């Protein structure tokens, strides 16, 4: 088994945090997406979509998509549960993780991909070129990110973690999104004290450095 990873990229980081929380060690292969290694012949054979992370199992099965990879490890290594237990709990975790992806990670991605010079003409991940950056999308992403923080603030008034009483994959996704937002100078404002409290707690977990 091996995990195709890039230490500086946010989505592979989600998987590394998930593995660290479970105490699982997997051999990693670095794919330097800043050097466009995702478009190299060798990696295109692994994942023609040109994205990391990718988990390769010993039987040759390849799984891309961070959550699909996490799901695999949740099933083979259920402790500690990070995707909920039982029908209700799992659905609530999934709901919050989806929201963290669609409203948090996507918003941050929209800003990053449409502003950073390294993504010039490559505003969509996995595409070699011909996708120009659009300032309006970056602006929209900033507004979406602000709304996402408001959603988290309201949620974290009532619960210690995003999906409820326990740390889950939803915390990993939201934390990775918020940490990545720093790259484009988007920070959690003082008007979100509960998000700040939660953020510092997650940052103090050993998995945060994974
Ligand atoms: N939804 C996918 C997103 C994967 C993705 O976009 N990965 C980025 C790194 S965070 C990537 O590989 N980018 C390649 C590129 O910039 O061309 C997942 O969660 O695995």
């Amino acid at each position: 088994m091996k995990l195709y990873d890039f230490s500086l990229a946010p989505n592979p980081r989600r998987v590394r945090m998930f593995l660290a929380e479970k105490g699982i060690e997997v051999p990693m292969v670095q794919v330097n997406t800043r050097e466009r290694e995702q478009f190299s012949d060798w990696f295109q054979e692994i994942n023609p979509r040109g994205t990391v992370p990718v988990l390769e199992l010993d039987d040759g099965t390849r799984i891309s998509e961070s959550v699909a990879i996490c799901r695999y490890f949740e099933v083979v290594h259920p402790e500690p549960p990070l995707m909920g237990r039982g029908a209700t709990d799992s659905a609530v975790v999934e709901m919050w993780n989806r929201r963290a992806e669609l409203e948090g990670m996507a918003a941050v991605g929209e800003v990053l991909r449409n502003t950073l010079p390294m993504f010039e003409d490559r505003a969509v991940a996995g595409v070699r070129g011909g996708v120009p950056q659009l300032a309006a999308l970056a602006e929209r992403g900033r507004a979406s990110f602000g709304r996402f923080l408001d959603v988290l603030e309201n949620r974290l008034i009532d619960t210690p973690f995003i999906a409820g009483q326990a740390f889950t994959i939803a915390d990993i996704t939201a934390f990775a999104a918020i940490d990545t937002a720093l790259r484009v100078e988007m920070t959690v404002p003082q008007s979100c004290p509960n998000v700040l409290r939660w953020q510092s707690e997650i940052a103090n977990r050993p998995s945060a450095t994974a």
Side-chain angles (χ1 to χ4, degrees), residues 96-172:
W96 281 108
N97 192 49
R98 292 284 289 163
R99 292 194 68 174
E101 285 198 300
L102 296 170
E103 298 168 30
M105 202 54 130
V108 175
E110 209 162 56
V111 181
L112 248 75
R113 302 282 327 186
N114 287 287
T115 52
L116 296 185
M118 75 171 118
F119 297 128
E120 193 183 357
D121 204 41
R122 286 204 322 107
V124 170
V127 181
R128 287 169 197 257
V131 185
Q133 293 179 319
L134 301 175
L137 279 181
E139 201 180 314
R140 189 180 74 175
R142 283 184 188 275
S144 303
F145 183 68
R147 283 192 298 272
F148 173 65
L149 292 181
D150 289 342
V151 168
L152 287 193
E153 178 61 21
N154 279 329
R155 172 67 176 163
L156 291 167
I157 289 171
D158 299 326
T159 60
F161 297 102
I162 292 175
Q165 297 305 313
F167 176 90
T168 68
I169 189 172
D171 297 291
I172 293 177

Side-chain angles (χ1 to χ4, degrees), residues 33-190:
T33 58
R34 293 197 178 176
E35 304 278 325
R36 302 183 173 224
E37 203 175 359
Q38 71 275 35
F39 304 124
S40 63
D41 291 345
W42 76 267
F43 189 70
Q44 283 286 307
E45 270 192 35
I46 306 289
N47 183 16
R49 189 177 167 213
T51 56
V52 283
V54 177
L55 178 68
E56 186 172 276
L57 303 181
D58 291 341
D59 70 359
T61 305
R62 289 177 183 139
I63 304 165
S64 66
E65 282 302 318
S66 311
V67 179
I69 295 170
C70 292
R71 171 73 59 202
Y72 172 84
F73 286 114
E74 181 82 353
V75 171
V76 297
H77 200 300
E79 295 298 329
L82 296 175
M83 298 179 97
R85 222 181 228 153
T88 306
D89 208 23
S90 313
V92 169
V93 173
E94 172 119 12
M95 172 182 74
W96 281 108
N97 192 49
R98 292 284 289 163
R99 292 194 68 174
E101 285 198 300
L102 296 170
E103 298 168 30
M105 202 54 130
V108 175
E110 209 162 56
V111 181
L112 248 75
R113 302 282 327 186
N114 287 287
T115 52
L116 296 185
M118 75 171 118
F119 297 128
E120 193 183 357
D121 204 41
R122 286 204 322 107
V124 170
V127 181
R128 287 169 197 257
V131 185
Q133 293 179 319
L134 301 175
L137 279 181
E139 201 180 314
R140 189 180 74 175
R142 283 184 188 275
S144 303
F145 183 68
R147 283 192 298 272
F148 173 65
L149 292 181
D150 289 342
V151 168
L152 287 193
E153 178 61 21
N154 279 329
R155 172 67 176 163
L156 291 167
I157 289 171
D158 299 326
T159 60
F161 297 102
I162 292 175
Q165 297 305 313
F167 176 90
T168 68
I169 189 172
D171 297 291
I172 293 177
T173 302
F175 181 75
I178 290 173
D179 223 30
T180 306
L182 292 172
R183 294 186 196 176
V184 281
E185 288 87 42
M186 296 193 299
T187 52
V188 181
Q190 294 301 321

Side-chain angles (χ1 to χ4, degrees), residues 14-34:
R14 295 201 278 157
V15 174
R16 291 197 308 274
M17 276 186 78
F18 193 92
L19 291 172
E21 288 283 340
K22 285 194 180 272
I24 303 172
E25 286 191 15
V26 176
M28 311 247 180
V29 178
Q30 291 296 304
V31 181
N32 189 333
T33 58
R34 293 197 178 176

